[in-house]
Amino acid sequence: MAVLVWAAEGTWPACVDAAAQWASPTSDVELLAVAAGQGEDSAHAAFAGLLGRGRGGRDPGLRIAAMGEAATTAMLRSAAERLGRPSTSRTLAGRPERALVEAAAGAELLVLARDGDLERLGPHSLGPTTRFVVDHAPCPVLLVWPRRPTSTALPPPPPGAPLHRP
Amino acid sequence: MSVQLVVALVALVAVLAVAIARPRHVPEAAVAVPLALALVVARVLPAADAWAELRSLAPVVAFLAAVLVLGQLCEDEGLFAAAGGWMARTSGGSPARLLTAVVAIAAVTTAVLSLDATVVLLTPVVFATAARIGARARPHVYATAHLANSASLLLPVSNLTNLLAFRATGLGFARFAGLMALPWLLVVVLERVAVGRYFRADLAVASGVDVAAGLELPESTPDDDVTDESGERPAGRRPATAPGVAAVVVGATLVGFVVASAVGVDPAWVAAAGALVLAAHALVRRRVTAGTVGRSLNVPFLAFVLALGVVVRAVIDNGLSTAVSTLVPHGSSYGALLLVAAVAALLANVVNNLPAILLLLPLLAGHGAGPVLAALIGVNVGPNLTYVGSLATLLWRRIARAHDSEPGLAEYHLLGAVTVPASIVVATSALWAGLALTGGG
């Protein structure tokens, strides 16, 4: 049984702090990064569109993929240092939302952060990937704010009399 | 359809197929040059016409060579790394402000040093910069790749298509830039707004996160583990600390273009002078070797452009122009310009922007600058629609990489479908207004 922490750019410090606070001292902590979608596809495609200039070594998509790996490694290292207790790290491949749900099978807890519209509470405060993971995770989920929300005011109640539920 | 036309068309398809598929990394020129020669030998295209085509393309190819060298030297001198530092400082840690800085730098780089420089040299720097401030790099890299196409409207040097069409416009350097300035600016703003809205979740997420706690990445692009195809590290990859000389040379070259165009000197000479000055500076400082400068010339690509020009000329002269000319409207009315831009965008998406503009030019030449500039809007902005520049490239990539999951590409097509038609309409409208206000071409 392990506490899983999804480390992603921008949100990992909040997730790591939450794990440090809530994971029981006896639990293993595993930091997860997802290696996908940092833009290398678009750079590679733009290069492919340069008709006739193709020279493999100059493909910016390859350079970005290499830099992306280095950045992910650096992020996981920073996250491990910030956590301040022993942990393991793993980089997942494939579609982020599915890879995370699959990795969470049998986990004690999955820590992730809101990564959508952080200006107000509500469904849009979850990005599409996080939405999918929250909806499909087979384990308990700890969902944290990457920073204090701008407004914590509830939306106005719907008009009309309150519903009476049986 | 004559036999000659069929032969020429088959040759064109073969040249494009090899350029796109690149079987076993054969250089495009290895097929294009022999086929062009064969068309002349078989008298599909008279030798005199082929020679005329080569002579008209020579300044364009010389210009292209100089710009390729200039871009690589700017990288060697550390100009792109310096731009990365500027973008990081300007962002103040905010991904949205970084996107604005990235759009500005990508638009200027594309306009001045051509789309090749943006795709090959700037995109990795943009990624490294985003990673450095702890932002999700996707929107920034995506915007850069998009702007390499759409921001190549401004100057005759920004895109090979512009270079090829420059003479047909009958305009000077400054007048070309003046007419394209507003379309370029509007398209750049439109891209910023569209990418910002599309990736708003990615852009919002890091704002407010303590940047000081973010990633520590090296100052320069950490590409030291990436080598050229030859497997050898170019000598000049260590960026210089003072890219000022490169910036001054590029600025002086730009001014030179305007002056040279005004006094009737071919801008290729100016570009060559700029490249020579910067190359001499870098060679003296031992930041590059003659070998690396020679390689950035990319001679096979230059030969490919010449050969492609000859093959396309054979296709046109053997009767394709009469077949297509009915599809392309003439005149500079608003509707005609829009239609030309749309046809050019479609053609660029079927084949690729390079053959598209070569095919369209003979049909548009002689009808003033308006239709030619509209066609440039189509072939420059249009490739973002299929994302890899053309349907042919896309199909090939789908086949070649069918086993790879490419979750990203679907959303790129979606964004392209939104921005490309809007950009073409906005840019063509601005072009039409510019032409109307200043009294035609």
Side-chain angles (χ1 to χ4, degrees), chain B residues 318-374:
Chain B
N318 281 297
L320 191 76
S321 55
T322 43
V324 189
S325 64
T326 51
L327 297 175
V328 183
H330 300 298
S332 286
S333 70
Y334 182 60
L337 291 182
L338 263 184
L339 204 56
V340 168
V343 168
L346 281 179
L347 196 56
N349 274 292
V350 174
V351 277
N352 194 290
N353 55 4
L354 221 51
I357 196 68
L358 284 171
L359 283 168
L360 284 171
L361 272 180
L363 315 176
L364 299 168
H367 297 277
V372 179
L373 294 178

Side-chain angles (χ1 to χ4, degrees), chain A residues 154-166:
Chain A
L154 286 178
L163 288 174
H164 291 285
R165 295 178 196 271

